[in-house]
Amino acid sequence: MTTVNSSAAAEGAKASTAEPDPQRWTVLALLSGLQFMILLDMTVVNVALPRIQDGLGFSTPGLAWVVNGYVLAAGGLLMLGGRLADFFGRRRLLLIGVTVFALASVISGAATAPWMMVVGRFGQGAAEALAAPASLGLIALLFTDPKERTKALGVWGGIIGLGATLGSVISGVLTDLASWRWIFFINLPVALVVLFLVPRLVRESRMVRAKDTSLDVFGAATLTLGLVGVVYGLLHAADHPWGSAGVLVPLIAGAVLLLVMVAVELRGKNPLIPLGFFANRTRSVVNFTTLFYMSAFISYTFMLTLYEQQVLDYSPLFSGLGWLPLSVGIGAGMALGTAMVPRVGIRAVVSAGYIGAGVGLFLTSMVDVDSSYWGGIVPGMVVFGLFAGAAMPAATNAALHGVTAQDSSLASGVQSTMQQIGSALGVSVLAALAFRHAGDAMADGAAAPVAATEGYALGFRIGGALMVLGGILLLALVERVGTELRDPTAERIAAG
């Protein structure tokens, strides 16, 4: 059995310099496959959204909860999940997370009403928050030799990257050739294999806790519930007056909960997110503009999918395959951004990436009811993907500005949380504005396809404006950042 308990750290360091233990690589393959499936479920629903809407009777604004249920739970609970793994054992939290993931996938796949789907999606997001930090903690103890760790992280990152790239394609194939329910049921075999093998291959491990160390459960709860309230109110505004109780009550309640969370974090002995972290200007600006980046990105994929299938009448399979230029563009952009950083600096690359991605969204906003795929969709998609990808490595470095390797886990956790929050806000704000605009246009006599297209175009333009504004803020406010690109995952594992 592979030993990964904390008391065996020194022995593990010696063992890792010998011949590689096949069991460790088996565990890595299991953990990577699990993370592939979990992250796949963040994007896999996009192409299936119209079929899910038809099958379960979602309203158009309500459909946003299929995305937001996942990202709100994952973002609100991610930092707490890492603490829980350290406190109660990484293997235990991993197995709990996998169990929650499997049950939530069953609920989502078997859903017969919108509320069941939303509950399942919240469960899947919570499962990511529990399983992802525990998985990384186990890798830290499995691979203590730097060379082996580099190889392991390459495998881990490559498999996870496939999840982000292939999510839409897999969704299109399953939805078109089988049923949208299979995008959730396909998770079960992976979960069962992990639940069977991990207890037999991995021993428990947990950190040594100081006596006064505590869990900030209240901070995580107020953050998550506050975000749910704000998002619910914003989505409700898509088809209700802003002054109605259905909009104002959840907005105010959510805002109050978020203020309570800030007060808790300021006064707590062991805050989930130490607010002093944001004292650094560069880190604050990068995390703030991350909200713009993810709002534009996720709302773009959400609205473009609906436009393709509901206005242009694309099949789920064609729509899924149609996202491949975006994946290629992001990959090429990341390579370009990585090459340009040493030459022109972090600030220039990240700001240009944001502004260029905004241009791509403005190009996409020119679509109409008769747009072709190659002439109307692909140009904006390629430009957006190329520049958005170029910004990623530079933004990661800027988010780690002034942070030691020991604290890189906090920095990467904060950025991941901001990414999830930005995703939820993007769908709830930009998509809601698009739906409201479409509804107003139909009330004025516009045909449904024309009204929907105008609404989506408005959402793309607002997303483009947010990206450009983010680029300007980064250009004006980011300090000089070291150009040696950093990997927060590697630093976190190296720090144990």
Side-chain angles (χ1 to χ4, degrees):
M1 177 183 285
T2 300
T3 300
V4 294
N5 55 9
S6 53
S7 63
E11 294 178 12
K14 294 178 181 178
S16 65
T17 59
E19 288 297 318
D21 180 354
Q23 285 194 172
R24 285 183 291 132
W25 293 97
T26 301
V27 174
L28 176 66
L30 286 172
L31 297 179
S32 300
L34 172 66
Q35 197 65 15
F36 171 88
M37 296 304 298
I38 291 177
L39 291 182
L40 187 72
D41 270 46
M42 180 178 174
T43 58
V44 77
V45 297
N46 281 342
V47 173
L49 285 171
R51 295 286 179 90
I52 293 173
Q53 182 179 18
D54 293 340
L56 300 181
F58 271 101
S59 66
T60 302
L63 191 64
W65 284 106
V66 180
V67 175
N68 281 342
Y70 185 102
V71 297
L72 284 173
L77 300 175
L78 181 63
M79 301 292 284
L80 178 63
R83 298 281 181 88
L84 288 170
D86 289 338
F87 271 51
F88 300 113
R90 298 175 180 92
R91 188 184 74 171
R92 178 178 300 168
L93 261 291
L94 174 68
L95 295 176
I96 292 173
V98 174
T99 302
V100 172
F101 177 64
L103 292 175
S105 296
V106 170
I107 292 172
S108 297
T112 57
W115 69 266
M116 288 183 65
M117 174 61 71
V118 174
V119 168
R121 292 295 285 167
F122 267 96
Q124 287 185 315
E128 180 189 341
L130 295 175
S135 295
L136 278 176
L138 290 175
I139 292 174
L141 294 170
L142 285 167
F143 298 93
T144 54
D145 178 73
K147 291 183 178 180
E148 281 197 14
R149 185 187 300 129
T150 300
K151 294 178 183 177
L153 286 176
V155 173
W156 167 273
I159 292 176
I160 291 175
L162 282 176
T165 302
L166 297 178
S168 296
V169 177
I170 293 173
S171 176
V173 171
L174 291 175
T175 301
D176 208 38
L177 302 183
S179 166
W180 60 263
R181 297 182 184 277
W182 282 100
I183 67 177
F184 302 108
F185 291 147
I186 197 175
N187 299 327
L188 297 182
V190 176
L192 292 174
V193 169
V194 171
L195 289 173
F196 178 78
L197 290 180
V198 166
R200 289 162 174 76
L201 297 175
V202 179
R203 291 180 185 170
E204 188 55 278
S205 69
R206 60 173 59 88
M207 74 175 189
V208 179
R209 287 184 284 162
K211 291 183 179 180
D212 61 344
T213 302
S214 61
L215 286 168
D216 185 12
V217 177
F218 188 73
T222 50
L223 172 62
T224 305
L225 293 175
L227 289 171
V228 169
V230 170
V231 167
Y232 182 89
L234 291 171
L235 285 172
H236 219 53
D239 50 12
H240 291 78
W242 281 100
S244 65
V247 175
L248 286 180
V249 171
L251 279 177
I252 293 172
V256 169
L257 285 170
L258 292 177
L259 289 174
V260 170
M261 185 272 295
V262 171
V264 169
E265 298 305 285
L266 284 172
R267 297 183 180 182
K269 291 183 178 180
N270 297 285
L272 202 63
I273 303 176
L275 297 184
F277 172 84
F278 295 102
N280 179 275
R281 187 179 75 196
T282 293
R283 292 200 300 266
S284 296
V285 172
V286 170
N287 280 287
F288 180 65
T289 55
T290 294
L291 298 176
F292 294 173
Y293 182 102
M294 292 306 298
S295 292
F297 197 113
I298 299 301
S299 64
Y300 164 71
T301 60
F302 179 84
M303 293 186 293
L304 190 61
T305 295
L306 296 180
Y307 164 74
E308 288 179 344
Q309 295 188 40
Q310 295 180 343
V311 176
L312 300 183
D313 201 29
Y314 290 176
S315 69
L317 179 59
F318 186 86
S319 183
L321 293 172
W323 286 108
L324 288 176
L326 179 66
S327 300
V328 173
I330 289 175
M334 291 179 68
L336 178 63
T338 300
M340 292 300 296
V341 161
R343 301 179 183 181
V344 301
I346 294 290
R347 181 171 58 184
V349 172
V350 70
S351 59
Y354 270 61
I355 293 171
V359 172
L361 290 176
F362 285 126
L363 289 174
T364 305
S365 72
M366 297 178 184
V367 294
D368 56 40
V369 293
D370 298 316
S371 291
S372 68
Y373 173 73
W374 292 105
I377 295 175
V378 170
M381 183 180 288
V382 170
V383 172
F384 177 76
L386 185 66
F387 281 94
M392 289 180 181
T396 298
N397 249 44
L400 292 169
H401 179 55
V403 173
T404 64
Q406 188 69 31
D407 293 329
S408 63
S409 176
L410 171 64
S412 61
V414 169
Q415 190 178 37
S416 296
T417 299
M418 291 299 179
Q419 289 170 351
Q420 304 283 26
I421 293 173
S423 299
L425 291 176
V427 175
S428 58
V429 176
L430 274 65
L433 288 173
F435 300 149
R436 189 179 188 93
H437 182 83
D440 292 343
M442 290 177 65
D444 292 336
V450 174
T453 302
E454 290 177 354
Y456 296 140
L458 174 65
F460 297 144
R461 287 195 294 271
I462 296 173
L466 287 175
M467 292 297 289
V468 171
L469 175 59
I472 294 172
L473 289 174
L474 290 164
L475 185 62
L477 298 176
V478 166
E479 303 163 283
R480 184 178 179 85
V481 180
T483 56
E484 183 178 349
L485 292 176
R486 298 172 62 179
D487 183 345
T489 302
E491 291 183 8
R492 174 180 176 175
I493 289 181

